[in-house]
Amino acid sequence: MNDKINTEKTVGALVAEDFNRAKVFEHLGIDYCCHSDKSLDAACQEKGLRTEDVVAHLEVSDVEGGAPAFATWPLDLLVDYVLKKHHRSFHLHHEELLQLVKKVERAHGERHPELHEVRQAVESSFEELDSHFAKEEQILFPQFYELYAAHEEGREPAPFHCGSVAFPIRQMMLEHDTTGDTWQHITDLTENFTTPTDGCASYKLMNHELYEFWENLKEHVSLENNLIFPGFIKLEQALLG
């Protein structure tokens, strides 16, 4: 927790300092995830909010706490967390969620044609995320672990075939932006995951599961964009001069 909130910092950087702030930004409709590179002042102006009011909410969230202190974690532990919580959960459960979306589409698509677009967007996003995670797991994260081990052992890291981690990181962040736009579109299509009055139990479950997936994805992307990626770029620069 910081004594004074710097309103010139980006929204993403403020959440990286204290993840309790994510709930405040979520409530106010401020993107702290995929498009979090605006300063707090600019984000508030864009939403028509008084910066001092938002700062007051953030200060309360800092005191109340509850979220893990991710900013204090070692970089390799952050990567472990992303792999174990987010990547593994996706691999285990995304096909089941897609099948639920298809089931609801079949049952309710005639009365709610937006479900066809929801299914298409979810299916497309899952295919993209599967490829995205594979690149992280097979290429980028192994180099992160190598950089961290080199730092701990006081040696130079093994050569990386991409040159610098900055190059694949740039691509991963572009893909994060695309994913964020897709899931914001899904949010809009479902009216913020609201089940219509004629929706069945499966419809309600689908919206709940989609909402939970998007919430977890925002934590995942925010951790990578604002802590893991900049942390390893700085570590590589320190190791290689």
Side-chain angles (χ1 to χ4, degrees):
M1 183 181 73
N2 294 312
D3 294 331
K4 184 173 178 61
I5 292 173
N6 183 350
T7 62
E8 295 180 358
K9 284 189 175 181
T10 67
V11 171
L14 289 170
V15 171
E17 289 177 352
D18 191 329
F19 262 74
N20 292 293
R21 297 168 179 171
K23 291 183 179 180
V24 175
F25 290 132
E26 180 78 20
H27 177 71
L28 296 174
I30 295 175
D31 189 347
Y32 66 90
C33 170
C34 303
H35 300 284
S36 60
D37 55 352
K38 298 184 181 71
S39 70
L40 179 60
D41 284 327
C44 290
Q45 183 176 5
E46 186 178 275
K47 290 290 181 179
L49 301 169
R50 284 164 36 99
T51 302
E52 53 267 39
D53 293 340
V54 176
V55 167
H57 287 301
L58 294 173
E59 288 173 342
V60 170
S61 76
D62 286 359
V63 173
E64 291 180 345
F70 290 121
T72 68
W73 289 18
L75 286 171
D76 65 333
L77 182 57
L78 287 170
V79 178
D80 289 346
Y81 178 82
V82 163
L83 284 170
K84 296 297 191 300
K85 178 181 179 181
H86 295 294
H87 283 220
R88 183 162 63 185
S89 178
F90 173 81
H91 294 315
L92 289 174
H93 303 299
H94 79 279
E95 184 58 34
E96 180 182 354
L97 177 52
L98 179 59
Q99 292 308 314
L100 176 60
V101 173
K102 290 180 176 180
K103 175 183 176 180
V104 174
E105 178 193 22
R106 288 192 299 270
H108 297 275
E110 186 174 347
R111 293 189 304 278
H112 299 280
E114 70 277 4
L115 287 170
H116 302 307
E117 195 169 351
V118 170
R119 191 268 305 159
Q120 291 170 356
V122 170
E123 191 167 29
S124 175
S125 179
F126 284 176
E127 290 175 358
E128 292 170 356
L129 284 171
D130 194 46
S131 172
H132 178 88
F133 291 167
K135 285 180 280 190
E136 289 186 335
E137 292 163 12
Q138 297 169 21
I139 299 172
L140 186 57
F141 287 0
Q143 184 61 16
F144 283 172
Y145 284 125
E146 167 60 17
L147 288 170
Y148 195 83
H151 167 70
E152 291 292 287
E153 296 164 12
R155 59 172 174 82
E156 288 191 6
F160 184 39
H161 70 275
C162 294
S164 168
V165 293
F167 300 122
I169 282 174
R170 187 178 301 118
Q171 179 61 33
M172 294 300 97
M173 293 185 71
L174 289 173
E175 293 179 9
H176 285 171
D177 290 348
T178 299
T179 297
D181 291 341
T182 298
W183 280 88
Q184 185 57 55
H185 183 51
I186 293 169
T187 303
D188 295 339
L189 286 170
T190 59
E191 297 184 6
N192 200 28
F193 308 103
T194 301
T195 303
T197 55
D198 61 345
C200 63
S202 293
Y203 205 140
K204 185 176 181 179
L205 177 62
M206 178 198 75
N207 277 324
H208 172 75
E209 293 296 325
L210 290 175
Y211 170 80
E212 288 293 318
F213 183 88
W214 180 213
E215 289 299 294
N216 284 321
L217 189 61
K218 282 186 278 192
E219 179 188 84
H220 176 183
V221 170
S222 186
L223 283 171
E224 289 189 350
N225 280 5
N226 300 304
L227 284 175
I228 296 174
F229 290 169
F232 276 103
I233 287 175
K234 289 179 182 178
L235 183 59
E236 182 186 61
Q237 290 173 342
L239 287 169
L240 300 178

